Amino acid sequence: MLAMAHASTLVGLEALPVQVEVDIARGLPAFDLVGLPEASVRESRMRVRSALEQVGFPLPTRRVTVNLAPADVRKNGAGFDLAIAMATLAAAKESPEDLLRDWLLVGELSLTGALRPVRGVLAKVLCARKQGMRGAIVPSENAAEAAVVNGIEVRAAGTLAEVVAFFQGNFALPTAERVCDHSTDPAVIDLADVRGQHTARRALEISAAGSHNVLLMGPPGGGKTLLARTMPGILPPLSFDESVEVTSIYSVAGMLPNGVSLIERRPYRHPHHTASTVGIVGGGDPPRPGEIALAHHGVLFLDELPEFSRDALEALREPLEEGMVTIVRSRVRTTFPARFTMIGAMNPCPCGYQGDPSDKCECSDERVRRYRSKVSGPLMDRVDLFVHLPSSSAMVYSEAPDGPTSSDVRARVIAARDRQHARAENQNEPNGRLSPRSLRDVAALSSEAKALLSTAADRMGLSARAMTRVLRVARTIADLEEEQRVSMNHIAEAIGYRSFSGG
Ligand SMILES: Nc1ncnc2c1ncn2[C@@H]1O[C@H](COP(=O)(O)OP(=O)(O)O)[C@@H](O)[C@H]1O
Ligand SMILES: [Mg+2]
């Protein structure tokens, strides 16, 4: 009496197939689970035993052995319950065995037999499709995300009893339906509500248009946090492929809002500086994405940058360079994609008033140096736009709000991104991620622009890396201005955003 059902396990963002084999044999009554199960899977026995009793099929008083294959794949999470329960019923001849082979079964069981949602359902259904299965049965609460996958039948179930009835031919499980995400983020600030600070506003527009990293530096109360909070309102929408990638990260993190099929807005993450390194980088077992991966294709806003732990700041290097984040835990490496735009904000010195006309700052040069060194070096090398904000005192408040609204700016940002895509043909990288080589092709300079760049490079001691960043920013400025070529004006403006030390 052997029966088999299909399940799957998460490895990073991907799901791998797992076969659940159940054998019922003569012997002392037992319910054993073998095949490298982690602790969370072992608890499955208790839940499955109780849920089966609830639907009127108590475990047979025999020796029941459950094997999860292949043995060399780590299995974790509670998503195997449904497959174990159904394979057990099939082995006991309570449910037809042959039908089980066509379906992926996903879901955790409660002691009463209700089906609970699990993480990573999108990846699991994609895996079932890849294996050519007829369909997948998922918990009702995961139905919206599972419905995104085309070309496979996806059914939603609320309880084990419904699934049993479905396989006995007595009940039609409903087909999973897609749901649109119409939620809005109430915390978004409109650019039209920001007074003055034209340079900073311009820098954020450039950042959104080309995915360039920004550092806002200025005194407390200068509007740094306020400005960063305008970003969600000016970011371009996600493409469909980007949406699927972002959704699968939130699905694996267990953070997909209930009933949402696809995340359609660019992520905007703003972890507090007291957040743990695991919270920022990711971790746990199975590994969950942290803030860095949750910001994929969107913005990671780090307010009060020097207050973050050194470990957290250090962990930003890999993603800023490679566009991904690697988590190592008990010798297992997991990689998540993490191509985000970084927006950092900081005071210029510990008291915050260095360079302020009021002359209140009493920080010694040494203290200022030490404060800034927390974020200097590799992290600063990856900033494209340095913005020094004047204090928002009397000067700013005397100005009437005069800037464009977020929706005007967003329209320009979208047009600039469209120009980038049209140029890039098959590759879909924004200017901020172009390699020096592709940049040479798309940002050919006039001779005056070249001369200006080399003079500035000499005077400001720009490294080759910094010059690449100037070129990327200049390309985006030209795109915002709907210009084919990068001219001297574009280079001049881009160079203006280069200085970390200025006041
Ligand atoms: N340029 C500005 N336009 C409109 N309001 C501003 C501006 N700068 C500061 N404020 C107001 O002052 C408050 C403090 O600004 P905040 O963004 O928190 O400053 P920072 O982060 O630089 O310390 C904000 O709530 C905002 O209402
Ligand atoms: Mg602030």
Side-chain angles (χ1 to χ4, degrees), residues 178-222:
R178 279 196 201 192
V179 184
C180 292
D181 178 11
H182 291 303
S183 61
T184 48
D185 188 345
V188 177
I189 304 283
D190 199 293
L191 271 178
D193 295 332
V194 179
R195 293 164 194 250
Q197 306 297 15
H198 296 281
T199 312
R201 290 208 293 220
R202 171 75 170 163
L204 293 180
E205 177 173 341
I206 297 169
S207 164
S211 182
H212 302 284
N213 301 322
V214 182
L215 183 68
L216 301 172
M217 197 150 66

Side-chain angles (χ1 to χ4, degrees), residues 418-432:
D418 287 347
R419 296 178 75 86
Q420 294 167 52
H421 294 169
R423 210 169 37 225
E425 287 163 16
N426 46 16
Q427 70 162 24
N428 197 3
E429 295 282 36
N431 290 336

Side-chain angles (χ1 to χ4, degrees), residues 278 281-284 287-290 293 318 325-336:
V278 167
V281 181
R288 287 175 195 233
E318 185 200 17
V325 54
T326 306
I327 301 165
V328 182
R329 195 175 186 275
S330 39
R331 285 176 291 130
V332 181
R333 293 169 71 86
T334 310
T335 303
F336 292 115

Side-chain angles (χ1 to χ4, degrees), residues 219-226 301 303-304 345 347:
K224 301 181 294 294
T225 303
L226 182 81
F301 172 41
D303 206 355
E304 314 288 354
N347 295 338

Side-chain angles (χ1 to χ4, degrees), residues 197-499:
Q197 306 297 15
H198 296 281
T199 312
R201 290 208 293 220
R202 171 75 170 163
L204 293 180
E205 177 173 341
I206 297 169
S207 164
S211 182
H212 302 284
N213 301 322
V214 182
L215 183 68
L216 301 172
M217 197 150 66
K224 301 181 294 294
T225 303
L226 182 81
L227 279 155
R229 284 171 60 199
T230 64
M231 275 307 268
I234 62 173
L235 290 170
L238 290 168
S239 70
F240 180 75
D241 289 347
E242 288 171 338
S243 268
V244 172
E245 266 181 61
V246 171
T247 305
S248 64
I249 293 174
Y250 281 72
S251 161
V252 167
M255 288 172 61
L256 209 54
N258 197 357
V260 167
S261 287
L262 264 188
I263 292 184
E264 297 179 34
R265 251 177 314 140
R266 256 173 223 279
Y268 175 81
R269 305 296 304 178
H270 46 103
H272 193 255
H273 59 75
T274 55
S276 68
T277 306
V278 167
I280 291 176
V281 181
D285 192 18
R288 287 175 195 233
E291 294 292 337
I292 287 176
L294 292 169
H296 183 52
H297 287 315
V299 166
L300 182 65
F301 172 41
L302 302 171
D303 206 355
E304 314 288 354
L305 197 57
E307 307 295 331
F308 280 81
S309 75
R310 248 180 213 288
D311 285 351
L313 293 178
E314 189 62 23
L316 290 168
R317 284 169 65 159
E318 185 200 17
L320 285 172
E321 196 67 7
E322 315 284 342
M324 59 190 178
V325 54
T326 306
I327 301 165
V328 182
R329 195 175 186 275
S330 39
R331 285 176 291 130
V332 181
R333 293 169 71 86
T334 310
T335 303
F336 292 115
R339 292 203 293 280
F340 56 82
T341 308
M342 181 184 71
I343 310 271
M346 65 186 282
N347 295 338
C349 65
C351 81
Y353 292 99
Q354 198 211 39
D356 195 79
S358 66
D359 266 347
K360 321 195 223 194
C361 175
E362 292 182 354
C363 300
S364 66
D365 289 351
E366 174 56 20
R367 273 193 80 201
V368 174
R369 200 195 53 76
R370 232 183 308 129
Y371 178 77
R372 292 202 189 177
S373 73
K374 283 195 191 164
V375 295
S376 70
L379 197 57
M380 288 307 101
D381 271 359
R382 286 163 185 97
V383 171
D384 302 300
L385 302 157
F386 291 95
V387 181
H388 299 271
L389 288 90
S391 70
S392 282
S393 54
M395 171 197 84
V396 163
Y397 290 112
S398 61
E399 290 185 38
D402 59 347
T405 63
S406 289
S407 83
D408 295 339
V409 172
R410 186 164 188 259
R412 292 202 293 256
V413 163
I414 292 172
R417 284 261 178 144
D418 287 347
R419 296 178 75 86
Q420 294 167 52
H421 294 169
R423 210 169 37 225
E425 287 163 16
N426 46 16
Q427 70 162 24
N428 197 3
E429 295 282 36
N431 290 336
R433 300 203 154 269
L434 289 181
S435 66
R437 230 179 108 216
S438 347
L439 203 55
R440 264 200 300 279
D441 295 339
V442 302
L445 299 183
S446 66
S447 52
E448 315 164 281
K450 244 184 227 155
L452 175 61
L453 183 57
S454 69
T455 313
D458 285 346
R459 288 227 186 105
M460 301 169 72
L462 296 183
S463 63
R465 193 185 244 155
M467 280 172 62
T468 300
R469 293 191 178 273
V470 169
L471 269 181
R472 288 179 182 140
V473 170
R475 180 62 265 177
T476 299
I477 295 170
D479 285 328
L480 280 168
E481 250 128 68
E482 304 181 25
E483 302 272 0
Q484 295 276 15
R485 289 183 66 88
V486 176
S487 73
M488 198 167 84
N489 290 347
H490 308 141
I491 293 282
E493 186 180 349
I495 289 170
Y497 297 111
R498 268 322 311 167
S499 139

